[in-house]
Amino acid sequence: MMNFDNAYKKPLCRFSVEQENGVQQAFDCAEALYLAAEQERYRTLSRTEMAAFLDAAAVLQTEEGLIPLVIDKNMPSDCRVDLYYHPSYAAAAAAIYAWQTMREIFDEARTAFFKNLLHGCTGRGLRDHGLDADSGQRRNLILLAKADVKAFVEENGNLCAEFTALVQDTIQMFERDIARAKQNHTSMVEMGMWPVPITAELEQVVAAYHGKTHTLFVYGTLMQGQPAHDLLKDAAYSRRYTLYDHTMVDLGAYPGIVQKKNEAVLGEVYFVSPEMMAEMDRYEDEGNLYLRREVWVKSEQGSLRAEAYLYNKGTQGCLESSCWQPKHEEEVWYACYGSNLSEERFRCYVQGGVAPNGKRYYGCNDTTLWKESYWTDYRGRLYFGNESPSWDYGGVAFYDPAGYEPVLFRLYRITRNQLHDIMRQEGASANWYGHQFLLGMGKDNLPVYTLISSTTRPQKAPSPNYLEVIRTALEKEAGLKPKEVKRYLDKALNA
């Protein structure tokens, strides 16, 4: 694929469908140009280079204002997005930047080209194609926001009135959607093959439009209540997010994160300006102690592409965790998947007493019952393993986060202190339930933890009594039908 670092410096050309690999070369060129626009590579162009790029684009421009890299009347709509519209959006971003920083290069011909280009960009309402139409619109708006499209349309609204109206009306619609979701304590949802929450993406687009074009995931001393949080005083806070397939290492006065499969890190997301991002680079010693890398983070309001600082030194001997200096009184969701699906049994873990299997539990130091509970599912694998003396030496439930099946959980709202006490009662060794695994974010933006073993356990069928506790909870407390429960448990028994 064409190197996007130099995409704006290499002459644009049109490829032919008759040319060998012509269409593939066009796709590669279009992708490289679009990625270069997202990385704002046009900012590195000199006036001469910018003028040369605009002139080359003008040669390819059609009457409708677009810059197609292949001309084919029979081209399907999704290919037109990639080969007609994406190059046009990338060219528009460069031209918007140039208009505001090197206006002197815009003679009459380049101005006419620019106006026509902006008109062409309105053809699809900045949307992509099919299921990606709306998500593409959000991505395209961020691409333009990085070129400071807000200042451009506010100062030059009459240059292309259709483009100005499209951008401003779309942003205002997003702002209304965000306000409505906040007022109703819900999330905006996009319907495709399944509902997808998108409030987070809408917030990201609006923040980018207003100059905060970087999305930063922080997890240590920059978080709320931590010593360096004041460095983010001018940033826009989003909410807590989970970063998967990474783990946190305790480095003493501060933490770091490194990649690690099937682990997760709890942090916060902020929308920051380019100037603040530069300050963050200096604070984190980017390029030496830490490396700034793009990651995907997730919350109950949706997923985001963000930037995070990954630790760049050795971590041997460092303790791992999912969050930095947690407050023990802080509330969390404890996600149960075995016998604690039963409310009666779980009450013994909190307040003490004799559980249905005859075992006495001493309870938590704080015996306050959970404030709320609800049912949900997470991807993974439910299986039965080990030998439990408490359950006639049969197997008990274990959760494997590496699986892909839906596993049912009951979430209880408790404190971190209570979670630690429950883990000790469950068995805090590595072969039982000694690992607090971060599943993600739950209701009210609180982290969700479950207890798992550090390694996959030897499988063993559970006792009838143990299985009956789970079956009863799923039927009478979760409201599942007997056939659904049987199908669910049979899958775990045969895992």
Side-chain angles (χ1 to χ4, degrees), residues 26 48 87 96 120-121 123 134 142 166 302 348 367 405 426 438 455 481 495:
T48 301
I96 289 170
C121 288
D134 290 336
I142 290 178
L166 171 62
C348 294
T367 59
E405 295 292 331
E426 284 278 31
L438 178 65
T455 59
K481 297 178 180 178

Side-chain angles (χ1 to χ4, degrees), residues 36-48:
E38 289 193 312
Q39 296 292 322
E40 304 173 63
R41 299 295 179 180
Y42 46 78
R43 293 180 181 271
T44 67
L45 300 180
S46 66
R47 284 167 169 71
T48 301

Side-chain angles (χ1 to χ4, degrees), residues 338-339 345 356-358 383-397 459-472 489 493:
S339 58
R345 176 168 168 75
N357 62 334
Y383 70 98
F384 298 97
N386 281 2
E387 292 184 356
S388 173
S390 302
W391 294 102
D392 304 320
Y393 291 92
V396 290
Q459 292 188 222
K460 186 170 184 180
S463 68
N465 289 339
Y466 183 81
L467 209 58
E468 183 60 27
V469 170
I470 297 178
R471 180 183 292 110
T472 300
L489 292 178
L493 289 166

